[in-house]
Amino acid sequence: MATQRKQRMTIVSFIVVGSAIAVGLVLFALNEGINVFYTPSEVAQGEVPSGQNFRIGGMVKSGSLRSGELQGTEVQFMATDCLVDIPVSYTGVLPDLFREGQGVVADGYIDGNGVFQASQILAKHDENYMPAESVAAMEASGATCDP
Amino acid sequence: MIPELGNFSLILALCLATLMAVIPMSGAVSNNQLWMSLCRPLSSGIWVFMLLSFACLSYAFLTDDFSVSYVASNSNSLLPVRYKFSGVWGGHEGSMVLWILMLASWTYAVSLFSRNLPLDMLARVQSVMGIIIIGFLLFTLLTSNPFDRTLLNTPADGNDLNPLLQDFGMIVHPPFLYMGYVGFSVAFAFAIAALLSGRLDAAWARWTRPWTNAAWAFLSIGIALGSWWAYYELGWGGWWFWDPVENVSFMPWLVGTALIHSLAVTEKRGVFKSWTVLLAIAAFSLSLLGAFIVRSGVLTSVHAFAVDPERGLVLLGLMLAVIGSSLFLYALRAPVVKSNASYSMTSREVFLLINNIILVVSTAAVLLGTLYPLIHEAVYGEANRVSIGPPYFNTVFVPLMGLLALALGVGTFSRWKKTSVTYLKQQLGKVLIASVALGIIIPLVTTSSVNISAIIAMMLGLWIVLTIIKDLMTKTANKKNFFVGLKSLTRSYYGMQFAHLGMAVIILGVCMTSQYSVERDVRLAPGESESIGNYEFIFQGITDEVGPNYEAQRGTVTVLRNGEEYMTLYPEKRTYFATRTVQTEAAIDVGFFRDLFTALGDERGDGSWVVRIHYKPFVFWIWMGAFLMAFGGILAITDKRYRSKKPVPSALAENSGQGGKLAAEAS
């Protein structure tokens, strides 16, 4: 009986140690891996803590895309929820389905000049697709427009 | 006519599956030989009708029968023939038919290759498989029938297959992935059958092992193909994004890996029985979770099928029914299963336990990260959306895999029941010193820079490789010479070592790629160039090309190596006729030690383009490692102890004597 109990204790202690390590790792990682989503209106109202990484979702405002005249591979455009426009700057290759008047989601932070510096631009590979976050942004603003 | 025949076959398969769910099981309960033996003809019947149904759907695709709605929305008359065929599983409905065909194939295979399985066990297993088939067939027939017709206003041409799927990788990736997903249903069925019959012994583990290995090997290849496809088709140069859909295929793999190891303990030592059963249930449940997440659209993902909440609800119901009933059965029956073998703190049992804990914890962490956005939304309301990015997954996952790699080396050396610490020290001391020393020296000499991640990965990779070599030397030490010794080792032993080698190769590949990749997105006018190391990429400009169902802007990039012309790459940006979808086609020079990756970005005026130029060392090793793992899994199945006709004595009896056997034949 004693050995059985010892074995059970071995198993239990391994599981306890294992889960403790895991919980620690998860809490630590959640802290830095989580990206909260904000709409352009929320960003304009200063709801986003400065210097924090977050996601912004909205539409690419028509006629706002600038790339040719900028240096290197930088692009700039306006992300809008029909109430507020937030300038976005991104350096790199835009996704295939990135288009003016279409939904967009960007990862990044707001710099000192109020420009959203995107580290990643997301657009799903589907013609009729609007990112869930963009839909949420349009619904949250309650406004309709032809961006 | 043909599509109706396909539909009819699906219904016939459903009828046969209903018979199979009831009759053999009743036979097993009432000990009726005839009823039990009916499972063999029934499973072949289901398989034949599923095959027929699949053939009918393929026929509809190949003959451009756009009166079938599913064909109309996933094909086009201009589509090349091979993509018309792969279009069969390019959408939700057709992929369900492929899914069930594979389920039926596994069921049929079990009935073919289980000649030495007791009839009542086979009958129970087949009945459980029958129940699963019923669930999926009902789901397909009621919510997503691929044979639905639009006879009025038949479209003149189809909407076309999603351009992302018009690719060789998409022809082969889903079949392998589904074979893996669905394959875990066999281990699940064996577990349920064992719980029902109360015969959860070492023999049960021996029957289950080859099937689990096979499913796991398919899943390994399926995931690797998917990652490879994403790498060259999405045009980002990444190979793993911790996307929800990737995660849901990865979780059954992780639990399946744990299951393989836990089955080894159950077969050899008769312990961890309840745990093994739980893993078998978990592996299949996670496969179902994968189906639910991919097909319901609850999580935003690049790969998800069209969103349909109704289907999602049905699948959720199916999943909860399977998980709920199997866990209920487990709660009723598992306590009956007792084990009475003993082992010490440094035995192989304990190291395999550590393996299981790490893998299950990793799965839980991936599951949490995948579902966290849903939980957050449910708690804080729809307006407060969050997303969990790769930093979370990497922070949790990478250290856990490091621990796993460490334990792996010791685990292969340890023996069942009891391993003396002195023995381990004596065997592994030098290996440890060598892998630490070489792990520091090799990156320093080859790159002349200090990179802690690269050094740690190199140490872990070498640790696995060197323990494999050391283990081979130890195992062959008593033989006449090394080669005679090598021949005496079993195939399942080699299978294990190949799979472990695969793990080392993946660790090295992942680390070298992530640490030493050079990724440049540059704006180049025709004639301009960009240099990475001793390679120079000259952008020659864009030409217009026309393909069978698309037009393309094709870039010409001449690559110079050490100033001499090496090769030319042609990245493309395609616009498909039917959908007007734009699709980037990367051009890659694949090499054993490095890939050269180029993709076209967008035009930036004055004839200049953004060109994505990546130098990716050792990226090939990631997929090579996965294939080594799969090869190891298959090799272990061919071990002769699974083929022997005579009944093998139970492992408990085998090991009950003093002095556990050497680990040579293990795993």
Side-chain angles (χ1 to χ4, degrees):
Chain A
M1 229 24 227
T3 53
Q4 279 235 343
R5 191 171 304 155
K6 227 172 104 188
Q7 265 175 39
R8 204 160 294 153
M9 286 312 291
T10 313
I11 295 177
V12 168
S13 56
F14 270 116
I15 292 173
V16 167
V17 171
S19 357
I21 295 175
V23 168
L25 272 172
V26 164
L27 289 179
F28 173 69
L30 267 181
N31 231 350
E32 60 182 54
I34 204 166
N35 274 329
V36 183
F37 162 78
Y38 291 99
T39 66
S41 296
E42 288 169 334
V43 174
Q45 286 155 17
E47 286 184 20
V48 184
S50 64
Q52 187 194 308
N53 254 298
F54 66 99
R55 265 187 181 194
I56 190 169
M59 311 286 280
V60 183
K61 196 180 173 71
S62 289
S64 72
L65 181 64
R66 306 196 310 135
S67 63
E69 67 271 30
L70 298 173
Q71 285 298 306
T73 62
E74 192 188 351
V75 290
Q76 292 177 359
F77 61 89
M78 291 292 194
T80 182
D81 59 1
C82 291
L83 295 175
V84 181
D85 299 347
I86 299 289
V88 178
S89 163
Y90 172 68
T91 301
V93 179
L94 290 170
D96 285 339
L97 279 187
F98 181 90
R99 242 169 263 159
E100 292 186 339
Q102 298 264 351
V104 68
V105 175
D107 268 359
Y109 65 96
I110 290 280
D111 71 3
N113 302 321
V115 177
F116 187 83
Q117 298 290 341
S119 55
Q120 200 187 3
I121 301 275
L122 306 168
K124 195 174 158 171
H125 288 259
D126 181 336
E127 189 105 9
N128 308 314
Y129 173 77
M130 176 126 130
E133 283 88 346
S134 302
V135 178
M138 306 307 288
E139 280 172 2
S141 80
T144 48
C145 64
D146 195 10
Chain B
M1 187 56 210
I2 297 288
E4 277 67 37
L5 186 64
N7 197 13
F8 190 57
S9 307
L10 278 185
I11 296 169
L12 274 178
L14 177 64
C15 298
L16 291 180
T18 313
L19 292 179
M20 189 156 87
V22 178
I23 298 176
M25 186 73 87
S26 320
V29 173
S30 60
N31 201 17
N32 184 323
Q33 295 285 323
L34 179 68
W35 288 5
M36 283 192 272
S37 59
L38 265 180
C39 68
R40 284 203 169 97
L42 279 174
S43 69
S44 61
I46 294 172
W47 182 70
V48 166
F49 284 114
M50 279 317 297
L51 199 62
L52 185 61
S53 174
F54 184 81
C56 291
L57 190 58
S58 310
Y59 179 82
F61 265 87
L62 294 174
T63 55
D64 291 327
D65 187 350
F66 296 123
S67 68
V68 178
S69 334
Y70 177 69
V71 179
S73 46
N74 286 286
S75 187
N76 183 280
S77 53
L78 288 176
L79 201 62
V81 172
R82 60 184 182 284
Y83 299 135
K84 279 182 184 165
F85 182 58
S86 70
V88 174
W89 56 86
H92 163 74
E93 290 87 347
S95 66
M96 283 315 299
V97 173
L98 180 66
W99 177 287
I100 304 169
L101 172 64
M102 289 183 163
L103 198 50
S105 308
W106 280 106
T107 312
Y108 185 45
V110 172
S111 79
L112 281 184
F113 294 109
S114 297
R115 294 276 170 226
N116 48 5
L117 203 63
L119 188 59
D120 69 315
M121 190 71 181
L122 178 68
R124 285 194 171 94
V125 169
Q126 296 272 298
S127 281
V128 175
M129 298 292 286
I131 294 170
I132 301 169
I133 293 176
I134 292 176
F136 280 107
L137 269 174
L138 276 178
F139 170 68
T140 306
L141 282 166
L142 297 181
T143 72
S144 27
N145 192 331
F147 296 106
D148 277 350
R149 296 253 214 179
T150 38
L151 287 172
L152 293 172
N153 304 322
T154 298
D157 208 339
N159 288 343
D160 205 7
L161 182 64
N162 185 341
L164 268 176
L165 308 182
Q166 296 186 26
D167 173 77
F168 174 73
M170 213 12 89
I171 299 182
V172 289
H173 159 62
F176 273 99
L177 196 68
Y178 291 176
M179 279 300 272
Y181 266 159
V182 169
F184 282 126
S185 65
V186 180
F188 171 81
F190 269 100
I192 297 297
L195 282 176
L196 284 173
S197 67
R199 280 213 314 265
L200 204 59
D201 48 14
W204 162 75
R206 176 171 291 124
W207 297 325
T208 313
R209 283 184 82 184
W211 298 104
T212 311
N213 273 7
W216 178 85
F218 275 115
L219 192 57
S220 308
I221 292 178
I223 294 173
L225 285 173
S227 147
W228 177 58
W229 169 81
Y231 167 68
Y232 71 77
E233 189 68 16
L234 293 182
W236 306 332
W239 49 272
W240 192 261
F241 305 98
W242 293 110
D243 179 279
V245 169
E246 290 171 334
N247 294 347
V248 295
S249 70
F250 195 41
M251 288 187 281
W253 187 87
L254 286 170
V255 172
T257 312
L259 176 61
I260 284 177
H261 291 86
S262 163
L263 275 169
V265 187
T266 305
E267 186 201 354
K268 288 289 170 189
R269 301 281 298 127
V271 288
F272 298 175
K273 285 179 209 160
S274 329
W275 174 243
T276 308
V277 170
L278 200 57
L279 282 179
I281 293 173
F284 184 58
S285 303
L286 286 168
S287 295
L288 292 180
L289 178 75
F292 165 65
I293 285 182
V294 176
R295 290 162 199 281
S296 66
V298 289
L299 289 167
T300 314
S301 157
V302 186
H303 315 252
F305 286 99
V307 180
D308 187 335
E310 187 208 352
R311 278 177 201 155
L313 270 180
V314 177
L315 269 179
L316 188 65
L318 193 66
M319 182 178 90
L320 292 180
V322 169
I323 297 177
S325 54
S326 53
L327 286 185
F328 182 66
L329 183 66
Y330 178 80
L332 284 182
R333 302 302 285 253
V336 178
V337 181
K338 277 249 174 73
S339 55
N340 43 14
S342 65
Y343 46 87
S344 81
M345 281 289 287
T346 49
S347 62
R348 178 175 275 215
E349 287 91 324
V350 169
F351 283 108
L352 287 171
L353 175 70
I354 294 174
N355 153 297
N356 269 234
I357 291 171
I358 296 175
L359 284 168
V360 169
V361 163
S362 310
T363 314
V366 174
L367 184 68
L368 179 72
T370 309
L371 297 184
Y372 191 83
L374 286 179
I375 302 168
H376 192 276
E377 206 183 309
V379 174
Y380 297 100
E382 209 167 318
N384 291 287
R385 285 168 176 270
V386 295
S387 63
I388 301 289
Y392 162 79
F393 292 101
N394 291 335
T395 316
V396 180
F397 199 72
V398 172
L400 285 170
M401 287 303 111
L403 284 178
L404 187 65
L406 266 183
L408 190 160
V410 193
T412 38
F413 259 88
S414 60
R415 294 169 179 188
W416 297 115
K417 282 178 80 102
K418 193 168 163 48
T419 321
S420 81
V421 180
T422 345
Y423 171 78
L424 285 178
K425 273 189 194 155
Q426 167 206 336
Q427 290 289 320
L428 292 172
K430 282 181 193 150
V431 176
L432 183 65
I433 294 167
S435 45
V436 168
L438 286 173
I440 295 171
I441 292 167
I442 294 175
L444 278 184
V445 171
T446 50
T447 65
S448 61
S449 64
V450 180
N451 181 325
I452 298 295
S453 308
I455 288 174
I456 292 174
M458 188 61 90
M459 285 179 187
L460 290 172
L462 283 168
W463 166 247
I464 297 176
V465 174
L466 293 178
T467 47
I468 292 173
I469 296 173
K470 174 77 182 161
D471 197 42
L472 279 174
M473 284 161 65
T474 311
K475 297 272 191 301
T476 54
N478 296 331
K479 295 291 187 307
K480 221 184 308 168
N481 62 47
F482 187 60
F483 295 100
V484 172
L486 283 187
K487 272 180 105 172
S488 71
L489 295 170
T490 61
R491 286 201 194 171
S492 60
Y493 172 78
Y494 280 117
M496 170 187 86
Q497 295 296 33
F498 267 109
H500 287 169
L501 183 65
M503 167 100 174
V505 169
I506 289 179
I507 289 177
L508 290 173
V510 167
C511 184
M512 297 301 129
T513 306
S514 57
Q515 296 302 315
Y516 295 115
S517 278
V518 184
E519 308 189 340
R520 301 249 175 87
D521 292 344
V522 286
R523 177 169 164 173
L524 297 175
E528 287 184 333
S529 69
E530 175 74 18
S531 294
I532 296 179
N534 50 359
Y535 291 97
E536 189 182 357
F537 299 80
I538 308 170
F539 179 60
Q540 306 285 14
I542 296 286
T543 51
D544 289 330
E545 306 283 331
V546 178
N549 56 343
Y550 60 86
E551 55 194 1
Q553 291 168 302
R554 173 189 280 186
T556 305
V557 179
T558 312
V559 185
L560 306 185
R561 186 164 61 180
N562 300 320
E564 283 171 36
E565 181 150 345
Y566 171 61
M567 68 174 314
T568 309
L569 293 167
Y570 301 101
E572 286 183 9
K573 202 146 179 128
R574 295 180 180 170
T575 308
Y576 285 83
F577 294 140
T579 49
R580 305 307 301 170
T581 316
V582 180
Q583 169 67 40
T584 306
E585 287 287 311
I588 304 168
D589 176 45
V590 178
F592 191 74
F593 292 111
R594 59 101 193 92
D595 274 15
L596 302 177
F597 178 103
T598 57
L600 284 181
D602 41 325
E603 194 172 2
R604 293 286 163 92
D606 62 24
S608 72
W609 280 71
V610 178
V611 184
R612 186 164 267 186
I613 299 174
H614 292 183
Y615 170 83
K616 303 191 95 66
F618 290 87
V619 70
F620 180 71
W621 288 39
I622 297 169
W623 302 299
M624 185 171 74
F627 275 85
L628 277 172
M629 284 183 171
F631 176 71
I634 299 293
L635 193 62
I637 299 174
T638 64
D639 193 273
K640 60 174 179 288
R641 83 189 130 109
Y642 297 123
R643 279 172 290 149
S644 68
K645 286 270 187 241
K646 66 167 191 261
V648 192
S650 119
L652 268 183
E654 211 168 84
N655 286 300
S656 56
Q658 290 297 309
K661 296 184 119 189
L662 241 182
E665 55 177 327
S667 193

